[in-house]
């Protein structure tokens, strides 16, 4: 893992979502196309990339902030603190060069499976998600720079393909790690589950491949490593009521007795 990777990460969410996370012991990854920044997944040459990556967003900022509380909890939710190595099952995280970017990555074992939607001709596949990337730091760019991001489409030769008729493919290593500078206050780090970090596609065009790669749902739930969950710390939002605090403490005491609960010191009338 990269030397500058934080030891802990923070996630703002509602009390209801906290209850789901604790009861199922999972974190939900959402398709990039469903996230709040319209530039999510955008790149120079492959519009469908935002459909092929599922993401979980965290911040490295230890200091809680009014913008984060307001945007993601309405000032009444919670902030979850967990160690960076929080997902299970997966192999040891390695840091290396994948195509367009240097990213943390690990194999998911066993692979996650999702049935894709059937195409018009009834073709349907059961796809395996083999890797989880992250946590990797999000880079913030101005809106005009999206077209300057590294290309996603790739072309290779071999297996009957020549320079005149290359095999098409894609490289998603860099996708989902750029957002508009309007969001830079988040100091975001991100986990991603791609349909494939890199791939070469034989016997069909990239457009034909995307036709059969239509996810049947816009989320993936990944189990939290048991040892990581034991270290959970919950901060209550500035406007959390006494009744909501009782509910959160009851959840923690019942499901993760080793967890800690504190309340934000931000004062809001």
């Amino acid at each position: 893992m990269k030397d500058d990777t934080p030891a802990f990460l923070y996630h703002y969410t509602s009390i209801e979502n906290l209850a789901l996370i604790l009861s199922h012991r999972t974190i939900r990854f959402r398709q990039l196309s469903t996230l709040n920044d319209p530039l999510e997944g955008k790149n120079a040459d492959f519009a469908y990339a935002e459909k092929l990556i599922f993401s979980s967003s965290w911040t490295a900022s230890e200091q809680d902030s009014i913008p984060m509380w307001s945007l993601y909890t309405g000032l009444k939710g919670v902030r979850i603190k967990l160690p960076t190595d929080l997902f299970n099952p997966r192999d040891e995280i390695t840091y290396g060069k994948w195509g367009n970017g240097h990213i943390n990555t690990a194999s998911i074992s066993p692979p996650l499976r999702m049935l894709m939607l059937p195409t018009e001709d009834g073709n349907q596949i059961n796809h395996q998600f083999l890797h989880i990337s992250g946590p990797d730091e999000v880079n913030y760019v101005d809106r005009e720079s999206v077209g300057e991001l590294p290309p996603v489409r790739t072309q290779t030769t071999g297996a009957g393909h020549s320079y005149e008729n290359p095999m098409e493919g894609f490289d998603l290593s860099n996708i989902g790690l750029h957002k508009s500078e309007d969001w830079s206050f988040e100091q975001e780090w991100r986990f991603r589950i791609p349909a494939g970090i890199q791939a070469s596609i034989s016997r069909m065009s990239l457009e034909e491949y995307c036709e059969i790669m239509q996810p049947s749902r816009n989320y993936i739930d990944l189990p939290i490593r048991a040892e990581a969950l034991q270290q959970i710390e919950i901060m209550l939002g500035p406007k959390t009521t006494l009744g909501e605090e009782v509910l959160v403490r009851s959840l923690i005491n019942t499901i993760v007795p080793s967890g800690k609960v504190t309340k934000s010191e931000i004062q809001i009338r």
Side-chain angles (χ1 to χ4, degrees):
M1 193 178 292
K2 291 182 285 188
D3 291 339
D4 62 347
T5 302
F8 293 91
L9 290 170
Y10 306 85
H11 181 73
Y12 291 79
T13 192
S14 66
I15 293 174
E16 180 182 5
N17 283 341
L18 172 66
L20 293 172
I21 288 169
L22 292 177
S23 60
H24 296 289
R25 293 170 173 81
T26 59
I27 294 292
R28 177 154 291 185
F29 286 62
R30 293 195 177 276
Q31 219 169 11
L32 286 183
S33 59
T34 69
L35 302 185
N36 49 20
D37 183 359
L39 296 184
E40 289 282 5
K42 298 298 186 290
N43 58 86
D45 64 352
F46 186 40
Y48 195 73
E50 63 182 17
K51 301 284 189 179
L52 295 178
I53 294 180
F54 296 79
S55 176
S56 176
S57 299
W58 299 70
T59 179
S61 177
E62 183 177 356
Q63 180 63 49
D64 64 318
S65 70
I66 292 175
M68 294 294 280
W69 282 121
S70 180
L71 186 60
Y72 294 110
T73 79
L75 299 170
K76 298 186 67 176
V78 297
R79 188 191 71 170
I80 300 170
K81 176 183 178 181
L82 281 168
T84 299
D85 186 11
L86 68 136
F87 290 113
N88 178 61
R90 61 178 183 163
D91 297 337
E92 182 179 356
I93 302 171
T94 58
Y95 171 64
K97 180 74 166 67
W98 282 84
N100 291 324
H102 284 83
I103 58 174
N104 288 313
T105 188
S107 298
I108 300 174
S109 180
L112 296 169
R113 298 179 182 273
M114 183 188 293
L115 193 65
M116 301 290 110
L117 291 175
T119 59
E120 291 183 1
D121 59 6
N123 189 12
Q124 191 173 22
I125 66 169
N126 193 352
H127 183 69
Q128 296 186 90
F129 291 82
L130 301 174
H131 294 94
I132 174 173
S133 298
D136 294 302
E137 191 170 12
V138 169
N139 299 298
Y140 298 96
V141 299
D142 60 74
R143 302 178 191 89
E144 288 72 30
S145 298
V146 175
E148 301 172 8
L149 296 177
V152 172
R153 290 176 179 266
T154 60
Q155 293 186 332
T156 58
T157 59
H161 291 262
S162 63
Y163 286 105
E164 292 75 22
N165 180 33
M167 183 188 308
E168 291 190 292
F170 58 78
D171 175 1
L172 299 178
S173 59
N174 211 39
I175 300 303
L177 292 182
H178 294 85
K179 294 182 68 170
S180 165
E181 59 189 357
D182 299 329
W183 301 91
S184 60
F185 67 91
E186 293 182 328
Q187 299 181 43
E188 184 175 347
W189 286 67
R190 180 170 282 185
F191 295 91
R192 296 169 298 151
I193 301 176
I197 299 178
Q198 293 173 295
S200 295
I201 302 164
S202 61
R203 299 186 297 279
M204 67 178 72
S205 69
L206 189 53
E207 282 70 26
E208 289 171 325
Y209 174 83
C210 291
E211 183 183 352
I212 66 172
M213 288 295 291
Q214 299 279 346
S216 57
R217 61 178 187 271
N218 60 14
Y219 67 89
I220 290 175
D221 292 331
L222 192 64
I224 303 172
R225 188 168 58 86
E227 295 82 0
L229 188 60
Q230 296 304 313
Q231 301 179 56
I232 194 170
E233 295 184 23
I234 303 298
M235 178 180 286
L236 301 163
K239 286 195 172 183
T240 306
T241 66
L242 180 58
E244 290 164 337
E245 180 176 348
V246 170
L247 288 174
V248 171
R249 290 188 181 277
S250 177
L251 275 171
I252 292 296
N253 290 337
T254 302
I255 299 174
V256 196
S258 59
K260 298 180 181 178
V261 180
T262 60
K263 188 167 184 179
S264 172
E265 296 182 356
I266 294 174
Q267 301 294 310
I268 300 178
R269 189 184 302 274

